[in-house]
Amino acid sequence: MRIATLALIGVGLIGGSIGLAARRRGVAGRVVGADRDAAVRDHAVAAGILDAACDDPAVAARQADFVVVCTPVDHIPQGILAAASACKAGAVLTDVGSTKAAIVAAVRGRLPAGVGFVGSHPLAGSEKHGPEHARADLFAGRLVVLTPTPESGAAPLAVVRGFWEALGARVRLMEATEHDRALALTSHLPHLLASALAGTLPPDLYELTATGFADTTRLASGNPALWTAIFGANRDGVLAALEVFGEGLARFRQALAAGDAAALNALLQRGKSVRDHLNNPP
Amino acid sequence: MRIATLALIGVGLIGGSIGLAARRRGVAGRVVGADRDAAVRDHAVAAGILDAACDDPAVAARQADFVVVCTPVDHIPQGILAAASACKAGAVLTDVGSTKAAIVAAVRGRLPAGVGFVGSHPLAGSEKHGPEHARADLFAGRLVVLTPTPESGAAPLAVVRGFWEALGARVRLMEATEHDRALALTSHLPHLLASALAGTLPPDLYELTATGFADTTRLASGNPALWTAIFGANRDGVLAALEVFGEGLARFRQALAAGDAAALNALLQRGKSVRDHLNNPP
């Protein structure tokens, strides 16, 4: 996998990490980027993430063979369409949005001929943001979900798959709405719970928290604007995940209220068995 | 602070860490311990946590000037009473239970004359258990809540406070029921949520989890029997905390269902401001 010119539209934590990883692994000859924030552009060039930066996605995309749109999810469709309209024939685009169905639907049927697009979601990130937290190894060993459609074609899919694999990631294909339903449970719900839990804490109890509270609420430090957009783009999925979680929580409440130690122990055992499994996959 | 003989009743993660810390900091001349589990006793002696081990709390306590009961919370009252009945006059006892009101009530008025008791809760721990995970620095910089009663007296309180401070901890005094209400929110509720969240995950979604899910559910790996006992001992507190959390969660659900991005953003901002504050205390 060797891309002559890689363009990043949005150079935050994820875009910056893609730039660093592509350089480190020799995947891209040249890396250019577009970001609306001048401080981000300056940092990305100074830190060696980008060879050149501008504020216009179309200008960055014009030179590129491969484009990754790394903006907040609510700006991704316009980023893809702006970049696609400027690309040379044969260019391939992807994005890194945490939701996929709305993006895939917004782009479908609106790409110029000869330009390919397959949506991506790298399951990697951080509650931090900005290119100053970018890491060249952010994708190593991580899963990237790709959401091709019947129209997206085999050649662009092979390019997008090859790109992520060249950054050290594993790839799995899913249908976009299936992705969104699954990630509502594995990513969006945990964020919501972390935030709701942090929000219940009155200041006089801050001192009485320890590592357990800190870990359980770590995600709450994430960027509210980014997450408002993610929740907005996957509203039905998150509401369904909340419903499932609410049923599980009701079982705990019932066992507690009834003083049913055996039922409580079984529920805790069920949670432990799932969690231990994640620590030690077979 | 110098204790001639320290006795630990229960030598798991917490008891083992107390033994290591007391040795490392020269707080105890001799450390003896009682544990029902022969493998734990053997490990604790071999690892240098204990000078001598036995299976009978009364035997361990007989030699001790200071006793710390570190069993699961549902065994703490009997451990305190067994140790207290064997102690020499002037000995002081404490415990490390995550709940305090039931323990303080079970012990009140039942101690031999000349033996002091003040309950403790060190806000330190791990989802791991057993003396093989003990750490000499587990209490350094951590808060320990002490729950004296009007009857527990100034001298035992001074000894218990001095002990924890000698292990590097900070000390705060609280009334036992106030402690339990507060810890329901800062410790027991996060555990319950982590477990409930882990329990909602079907096996086909394991692969689609990343660090966010892992952090939010870390506590779910804790020992179900220990936590069944903690929830049982603080049932009212945990039910009240669930009520408060349920109201917060309902606000998220409502903002989501209404598509109210401003309300959602405000809720996320509230969670972030609490969580960021915990990372960067003033």
Side-chain angles (χ1 to χ4, degrees), chain B residues 203-217:
Chain B
D204 59 314
L205 298 190
Y206 287 3
E207 197 200 15
L208 294 168
T209 62
T211 53
F213 193 91
D215 286 351
T216 312
T217 58

Side-chain angles (χ1 to χ4, degrees), chain A residues 135-210:
Chain A
R135 288 170 28 207
D137 65 349
L138 191 66
F139 310 105
R142 299 309 183 88
L143 186 73
V144 179
V145 178
L146 307 188
T147 58
T149 62
E151 304 92 60
S152 54
L157 175 59
V159 172
V160 174
R161 175 196 284 271
F163 177 75
W164 289 112
E165 289 176 348
L167 300 195
R170 294 172 296 120
V171 161
R172 172 170 163 177
L173 308 189
M174 293 178 79
E175 203 272 321
T177 56
E178 181 200 359
H179 165 277
D180 285 7
R181 271 198 304 271
L183 272 288
L185 206 55
T186 62
S187 170
H188 310 159
L189 175 64
H191 194 100
L192 195 157
L193 297 179
S195 186
L197 176 59
T200 62
L201 193 70
D204 60 312
L205 298 190
Y206 287 4
E207 197 200 15
L208 294 168
T209 61

Side-chain angles (χ1 to χ4, degrees), chain A residues 123-127 129 142-143 145 170 172 174 179 181-183 185-187 189-228 231-232 234-235 238-239 241-246 248-249 251-253 255-262 264-279, chain B residues 123-127 129 142-143 145 170 172 174 179 181-183 185-187 189-228 231-232 234-235 238-239 241-246 248-249 251-253 255-262 264-279:
Chain A
L123 272 61
S126 167
E127 75 282 11
H129 57 104
R142 299 309 183 88
L143 186 73
V145 178
R170 294 172 296 120
R172 172 170 163 177
M174 293 178 79
H179 165 277
R181 271 198 304 271
L183 272 288
L185 206 55
T186 62
S187 170
L189 175 64
H191 194 100
L192 195 157
L193 297 179
S195 186
L197 176 59
T200 62
L201 193 70
D204 60 312
L205 298 190
Y206 287 4
E207 197 200 15
L208 294 168
T209 61
T211 52
F213 192 92
D215 286 351
T216 313
T217 59
R218 180 181 64 83
L219 292 176
S221 278
N223 184 319
L226 290 183
W227 280 92
T228 298
F231 289 130
N234 195 16
R235 192 173 71 146
V238 177
L239 286 169
L242 266 174
E243 193 72 24
V244 172
F245 177 77
L249 198 60
R251 283 190 285 272
F252 270 92
R253 187 187 286 111
L256 258 175
D260 186 341
L264 202 50
N265 192 77
L267 290 168
L268 290 165
Q269 193 61 60
R270 154 85 186 142
K272 177 175 172 59
S273 109
V274 172
R275 187 59 184 79
D276 288 350
H277 194 281
L278 298 181
N279 266 352
Chain B
L123 273 61
S126 166
E127 75 282 10
H129 57 103
R142 298 309 182 89
L143 186 73
V145 178
R170 293 172 297 120
R172 172 170 164 177
M174 293 178 79
H179 165 277
R181 271 198 305 272
L183 271 288
L185 206 54
T186 62
S187 170
L189 175 64
H191 194 101
L192 195 158
L193 297 179
S195 187
L197 176 59
T200 62
L201 193 69
D204 59 314
L205 298 190
Y206 287 3
E207 197 200 15
L208 294 168
T209 62
T211 53
F213 193 91
D215 286 351
T216 312
T217 58
R218 182 183 63 82
L219 292 176
S221 278
N223 183 319
L226 290 183
W227 279 91
T228 298
F231 289 130
N234 195 17
R235 192 174 70 145
V238 177
L239 285 169
L242 266 175
E243 193 71 25
V244 172
F245 177 77
L249 198 60
R251 283 190 285 274
F252 271 92
R253 187 187 285 111
L256 258 175
D260 186 342
L264 201 52
N265 193 77
L267 290 168
L268 291 165
Q269 191 62 58
R270 154 85 187 142
K272 176 175 173 58
S273 109
V274 173
R275 186 59 185 79
D276 287 351
H277 194 280
L278 298 180
N279 265 353

